[in-house]
Amino acid sequence: MHFRSRPSRPPVGSLRSFPPGAALCAVRGPVARAATLGLLTLAAACTRAAVPLPQLGLDATQTTVSGLSAGGFMAVQLHVAYSATFKTGAGVVAGGPFYCAEGSIVNATGRCMASPSGIPTASLVSTTNSWANQGLIDPTSNLTASKVYLFSGSLDSVVKPGVMDALKTYYQSYVPNANVVYKKDLAAEHAMVTDDYGSACSTKGAPYINDCNFDLAGAILQQLYGTLNARNNGTLGGSFVEYDQGAFISGHGMASTGWAYVPQACAAGSGTAASCRLHVVMHGCKQNTSDVGQQYVRNTGYNRWADTNRIVLLYPQTSTAATNSCWDWWGYDSANYAKKSGPQMVAVKAMVDRVVGSGGGTTPPPASLPAPAGVTTSGATANSMQIQWSAVSGAAGYNVYRGGTKANATPVGGTAFTDTGLAPSTNYSWTVRATNSSGGEGAASSPASGTTTADTAVACFTASNYDHTMAARAYALYGATYAYGSNQYMGLWNIYTTTTLKRTAPGTYVIGTC
């Protein structure tokens, strides 16, 4: 859905520092040297293994979804096809009616994007009703109590506002008008809109996140959930989790890993997760972590509201094998793409069931093992901490939890673990649980806290733009290179252009010398 145009200027603002508890994934651009100049492939290579998606035991009655562009169409598909799961509501940014493309790429790029006057809304409603009667999707009666938030930028040249008008008309067949908010008076191009991050509001180009002085994520969540606590504008207290998507699907245009944000109050073992709810965020085309790094996961505004309002966020990811990294909303992967049986639909639903705690995986029964004693921290660096504890008789291994989220990918065999990927000058807290041979966990230890050291040393690095991206000092977008943190344009992304970057703070680089 997104055109392959280079942004008129690099994204403004700085990439935020990784928050406490982050399972860091160093975002790196190329995976192979290019022999010629031009548009090049961007990929993400993670420095630590993904972990299983946690089963948190959330309130299953308050699950919602939202998405942009292809993610907006996918959000509608999930909302309608799995209305028993997503009956609380959906937010749609630059999307369109359910089954708009009717399995045709011509329809997708024509009437569902550029020529909305051709959208057969009444026919799509008939198809929806027919599929519901056949059990191919959930009963449409589930939508009656849904809340819906619709957004279309008045300057959107990719998915014309008329497509969203058709979506509003479609929803009128199922959702009361009083439950629908439709905002289309903001002069925004095709993008996820924020109030403090991204390109200029009228920009059309990667990362398709635009600073329009409007908090769209907050508006969506408040429409779906009602009045919320003020968002956290400071350091987030929860954890980012890179989880294994391969447990739910292989291929079908899906990446091997996805991301989740878990507020501390919703973490496993917190005792309060049952009062938390789940919101699923669907990125647009050319917006997965291989395309734009973690910008959509971290900088679209959702996490700040989630942190103070007991909302777990799930960020499923497509792969670059998907057409333009899009979700399947016209049938490039499966003729059943919009039904409950669509492969991507099944996978996302299984992820939801897993994290909510209603299925999609099994959790070993608790083990009758005492809490480990003597938990301490030592050896702090700017990005790591060692945790030690006393052995528990009969234990097969141990799990280490940082802020309630498991930090180790597989059980630890000894009585020490080094937790990495931490933020400098930040205080963390860890607990440890012993496990039996089946993976069942015993009681949690008393918490042990520690503070990472500062990392303010100025350092300079002279290398090719290619090598800068491989070292996570810069990122590539459509053949151009930009410095992390400052987003300064460095020139073409290749092995021939050499740039000197100065690190001024952790994760922040500027063009210059020391």
Side-chain angles (χ1 to χ4, degrees):
M1 295 177 65
H2 296 149
F3 296 112
R4 289 179 174 270
S5 59
R6 199 178 87 184
S8 57
R9 63 185 176 91
V12 299
S14 61
L15 295 176
R16 292 184 176 82
S17 299
F18 296 126
L24 288 188
C25 177
V27 179
R28 298 171 180 169
V31 292
R33 292 184 179 268
T36 60
L37 301 178
L39 299 180
L40 301 172
T41 302
L42 183 68
C46 293
T47 58
R48 57 186 296 176
V51 300
L53 182 62
Q55 191 168 14
L56 300 176
L58 310 178
D59 183 349
T61 67
Q62 296 193 66
T63 302
T64 57
V65 62
S66 67
L68 161 70
S69 191
F73 282 96
M74 189 68 169
V76 173
Q77 287 179 192
L78 290 165
H79 185 211
V80 174
Y82 287 114
S83 59
T85 297
F86 295 100
K87 60 185 174 183
T88 296
V92 186
V93 182
F98 179 78
Y99 201 50
C100 182
E102 295 186 297
S104 166
I105 183 61
V106 174
N107 288 341
T109 57
R111 71 191 192 193
C112 299
M113 293 173 63
S115 306
S117 60
I119 297 176
T121 306
S123 175
L124 299 177
V125 169
S126 295
T127 297
T128 303
N129 295 336
S130 175
W131 286 2
N133 291 335
Q134 297 175 62
L136 301 175
I137 62 175
D138 287 345
T140 59
S141 58
N142 292 319
L143 298 170
T144 303
S146 285
K147 297 288 183 69
V148 174
Y149 188 97
L150 308 177
F151 178 89
S152 178
S154 64
L155 300 181
D156 196 323
S157 61
V158 179
V159 178
K160 298 292 183 64
V163 181
M164 287 294 290
D165 294 342
L167 176 58
K168 183 176 186 296
T169 300
Y170 172 88
Y171 267 129
Q172 286 175 340
S173 296
Y174 305 106
V175 181
N177 285 335
N179 288 6
V180 179
V181 170
Y182 183 18
K183 182 174 177 62
K184 57 176 181 176
D185 59 355
L186 190 63
E189 246 291 357
H190 189 70
M192 179 63 193
V193 167
T194 78
D195 61 354
D196 61 359
Y197 184 89
S199 306
C201 195
S202 60
T203 299
K204 181 177 72 179
Y208 300 97
I209 305 171
N210 286 358
D211 180 359
C212 297
N213 296 316
F214 181 71
D215 182 6
L216 181 53
I220 291 172
L221 293 176
Q222 290 178 91
Q223 166 64 3
L224 301 184
Y225 290 120
T227 303
L228 297 177
N229 298 324
R231 72 187 192 184
N232 179 5
N233 288 324
T235 301
L236 299 180
S239 299
F240 285 93
V241 179
E242 186 182 20
Y243 66 89
D244 177 18
Q245 279 193 165
F248 306 96
I249 190 171
S250 178
H252 296 285
M254 297 283 284
S256 59
T257 64
W259 285 84
Y261 179 72
V262 183
Q264 189 165 0
C266 304
S270 64
T272 58
S275 63
C276 295
R277 47 270 180 107
L278 175 68
H279 182 73
V280 182
V281 184
M282 310 300 291
H283 63 73
C285 300
K286 304 303 294 182
Q287 281 187 315
N288 61 32
T289 53
S290 293
D291 293 313
V292 298
Q294 296 173 40
Q295 291 184 82
Y296 203 84
V297 172
R298 294 178 183 268
N299 299 110
T300 45
Y302 288 98
N303 305 319
R304 296 180 293 188
W305 288 96
D307 203 49
T308 54
N309 288 282
R310 297 178 181 273
I311 301 172
V312 174
L313 296 171
L314 191 67
Y315 294 93
Q317 297 290 305
T318 64
S319 73
T320 54
T323 301
N324 287 330
S325 302
C326 301
W327 293 101
D328 188 10
W329 64 275
W330 68 88
Y332 73 76
D333 176 65
S334 169
N336 295 322
Y337 68 92
K339 300 172 184 176
K340 292 170 65 174
S341 58
Q344 292 183 0
M345 299 278 282
V346 170
V348 174
K349 176 61 162 59
M351 294 176 207
V352 168
D353 288 345
R354 170 66 185 182
V355 73
V356 168
S358 58
T362 58
T363 298
S368 299
L369 293 169
V375 180
T376 59
T377 62
S378 64
T381 71
N383 304 111
S384 67
M385 184 75 68
Q386 187 176 74
I387 300 92
Q388 305 93 11
W389 56 91
S390 299
V392 172
S393 178
Y398 302 88
N399 287 332
V400 179
Y401 288 85
R402 181 203 324 119
T405 298
K406 191 166 70 171
N408 53 296
T410 57
V412 179
T415 57
F417 174 75
T418 299
D419 195 6
T420 59
L422 309 180
S425 302
T426 303
N427 184 261
Y428 295 90
S429 179
W430 290 267
T431 57
V432 181
R433 293 174 181 264
T435 66
N436 59 21
S437 58
S438 299
E441 295 183 335
S445 70
S446 298
S449 61
T451 302
T452 52
T453 60
D455 183 12
T456 58
V458 174
C460 281
F461 306 86
T462 300
S464 71
N465 284 351
Y466 171 89
D467 288 330
H468 279 308
T469 61
M470 290 300 292
R473 295 187 289 267
Y475 60 96
L477 288 175
Y478 300 94
T481 314
Y482 302 95
Y484 267 128
S486 68
N487 296 317
Q488 288 180 321
Y489 174 63
M490 297 164 54
L492 293 175
W493 179 65
N494 56 41
I495 62 174
Y496 309 111
T497 304
T498 299
T499 307
T500 297
L501 291 180
K502 179 170 68 173
R503 186 181 67 182
T504 59
T508 299
Y509 298 86
V510 299
I511 298 172
T513 57
C514 294

